[in-house]
């Protein structure tokens, strides 16, 4: 099955060829670059719909080529693009492989999380994919008796989180792929990722975590598994935390 990225690339190329052929055919009056780019964008978006790609690709196709033409017309020096590219690279790093972009847990979610486990002391919590440290740092602040660890692969968010964590002794930020990090020591593993890794994440949690401990996923469910409980955060985006208890061995 073709990947979403190769489908998008094919839509872009096919749309370029179509617009080139139509432009050369003499069927249309002479058009400027932006009008041609808009035509290419419409064709690419249509092809993307036909290919049944996720809906958000349509928005990307509509914006991509007109964006390129407008950027060229701005005449910015090449180094501006180089710098933007490097900045985005440090933030998104291997998102094309992990299929987990950067977005952050909000304050209400962290407070609700802390409140739900308020009676528990000395917990070890792991945030898999800790981003800029929003979850880790706020939770470490709320619960000085808990040890909160975060693993993050992308260097930009990781460095920022490390810098923000300077005053907190119970927040531990690691630049590490969480698939390479053992979950065995944790009472709760918290994930705010995407639908893509959820089945594999549950398999890893089951293999490594102690029976009775919890995997808690913000917004994304483990396919075909009923959560033991769902915490409704009560924020504007109606966040739900899906809580999965690790069963006893052999179950
Ligand atoms: C949606 S953000 C969540 C950030 C943070 N947990 C929060 O709740 O605010 C997901 C993060 O996971 C990181 N990530 C994705 N796959 C990863 C992996 N295999 N190891 C470590 N970090 C990963 C991404 O770089 C991204 O920063």
């Amino acid at each position: 099955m073709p990947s979403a990225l190769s489908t998008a690339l094919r839509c872009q190329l096919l749309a370029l060829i179509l617009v080139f052929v139509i432009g050369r055919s003499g069927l249309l009056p002479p058009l400027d670059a932006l009008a041609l780019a808009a035509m290419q964008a419409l064709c690419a978006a249509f092809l993307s719909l036909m290919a049944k790609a996720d809906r958000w690709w349509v928005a990307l196709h509509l914006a991509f080529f007109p964006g390129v033409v407008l950027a060229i017309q701005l005449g910015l020096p090449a180094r501006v693009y180089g710098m933007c590219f490097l900045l985005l690279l440090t933030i998104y790093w291997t998102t094309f492989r992990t299929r987990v972009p950067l977005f952050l847990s909000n304050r209400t979610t962290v407070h609700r999380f802390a409140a739900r486990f308020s009676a528990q002391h000395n917990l070890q919590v792991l945030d898999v994919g800790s981003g800029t440290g929003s979850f880790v740092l706020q939770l470490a602040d709320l619960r000085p008796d808990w040890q909160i660890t975060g693993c993050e692969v992308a260097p930009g968010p990781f460095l920022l989180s490390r810098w923000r964590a300077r005053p907190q002794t119970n927040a531990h930020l690691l630049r590490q792929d969480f698939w390479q990090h053992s979950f065995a020591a944790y009472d709760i593993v918290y994930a705010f990722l995407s639908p893509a890794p959820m089945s594999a994440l549950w398999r890893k949690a089951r293999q490594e975590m102690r029976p009775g401990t919890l995997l808690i996923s913000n917004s994304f469910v483990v396919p075909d598994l009923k959560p033991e409980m769902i915490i409704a955060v009560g924020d504007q985006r109606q966040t739900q935390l899906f809580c999965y208890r690790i069963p006893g061995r052999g179950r």
Side-chain angles (χ1 to χ4, degrees):
M1 204 171 84
S3 74
L5 201 60
S6 66
T7 304
L9 208 61
R10 271 201 290 274
C11 293
Q12 279 292 322
L13 287 175
L14 201 56
L16 263 177
I17 294 169
L18 270 172
V19 170
F20 181 77
V21 171
I22 295 171
R24 280 304 190 86
S25 68
L27 291 171
L28 295 172
L31 294 170
D32 67 6
L34 196 54
L36 286 170
M39 248 174 78
Q40 188 275 354
L42 285 173
C43 289
F46 178 73
L47 291 169
S48 176
L49 280 175
M50 293 291 93
K52 297 193 167 42
D54 287 341
R55 283 300 163 92
W56 53 270
W57 279 107
V58 173
L60 289 185
H61 286 301
L62 287 174
F64 182 67
F65 233 83
V68 170
V69 171
L70 285 171
I72 291 171
Q73 288 177 353
L74 282 177
L76 295 174
R79 66 174 175 281
V80 173
Y81 296 106
M83 280 159 60
C84 289
F85 174 73
L86 284 180
L87 182 69
L88 290 175
L89 188 66
T90 65
I91 296 174
Y92 291 102
W93 206 240
T94 50
T95 296
F96 66 91
R97 178 174 58 81
T98 61
R99 296 169 68 199
V100 180
L102 175 68
F103 35 79
L104 307 175
S105 293
N106 61 35
R107 211 178 129 73
T108 324
T109 301
V110 187
H111 278 257
R112 185 76 188 86
F113 182 100
R116 177 64 187 75
F117 301 102
S118 61
Q120 313 234 19
H121 297 283
N122 305 315
L123 285 183
Q124 295 279 346
V125 181
L126 172 69
D127 179 6
V128 288
S130 44
T132 58
S134 294
F135 180 81
V136 171
L137 301 178
Q138 291 183 76
L139 194 59
D141 214 20
L142 288 171
R143 287 304 301 247
D145 63 318
W146 294 1
Q147 297 298 319
I148 325 292
T149 304
C151 284
E152 174 56 52
V153 270
F158 165 72
L159 286 174
L160 183 59
S161 68
R162 232 351 218 280
W163 182 76
R164 292 171 68 203
R166 282 164 308 147
Q168 282 169 301
T169 52
N170 64 331
H172 313 281
L173 279 317
L174 310 172
R175 166 104 209 285
Q176 196 181 20
D177 184 331
F178 67 72
W179 298 111
Q180 310 301 325
H181 185 86
S182 167
F183 292 180
Y186 299 100
D187 302 300
I188 301 179
V189 170
Y190 171 80
F192 189 17
L193 298 169
S194 79
M198 290 312 297
S199 294
L201 185 68
W202 174 241
R203 278 197 298 277
K204 180 171 168 63
R206 270 195 76 157
Q207 267 169 22
E208 297 178 358
M209 292 177 76
R210 282 169 283 116
T213 54
L214 282 172
L215 171 68
I216 300 187
S217 172
N218 184 334
S219 304
F220 305 108
V221 295
V222 175
D224 307 321
L225 187 67
K226 197 168 178 294
E228 179 187 275
M229 98 187 130
I230 299 176
I231 303 173
V233 167
D235 57 350
Q236 233 181 7
R237 67 180 285 273
Q238 307 201 325
T239 300
Q240 290 185 309
L241 302 178
F242 299 98
C243 306
Y244 300 93
R245 178 105 31 209
I246 306 299
R249 300 285 173 232
R251 291 190 62 203

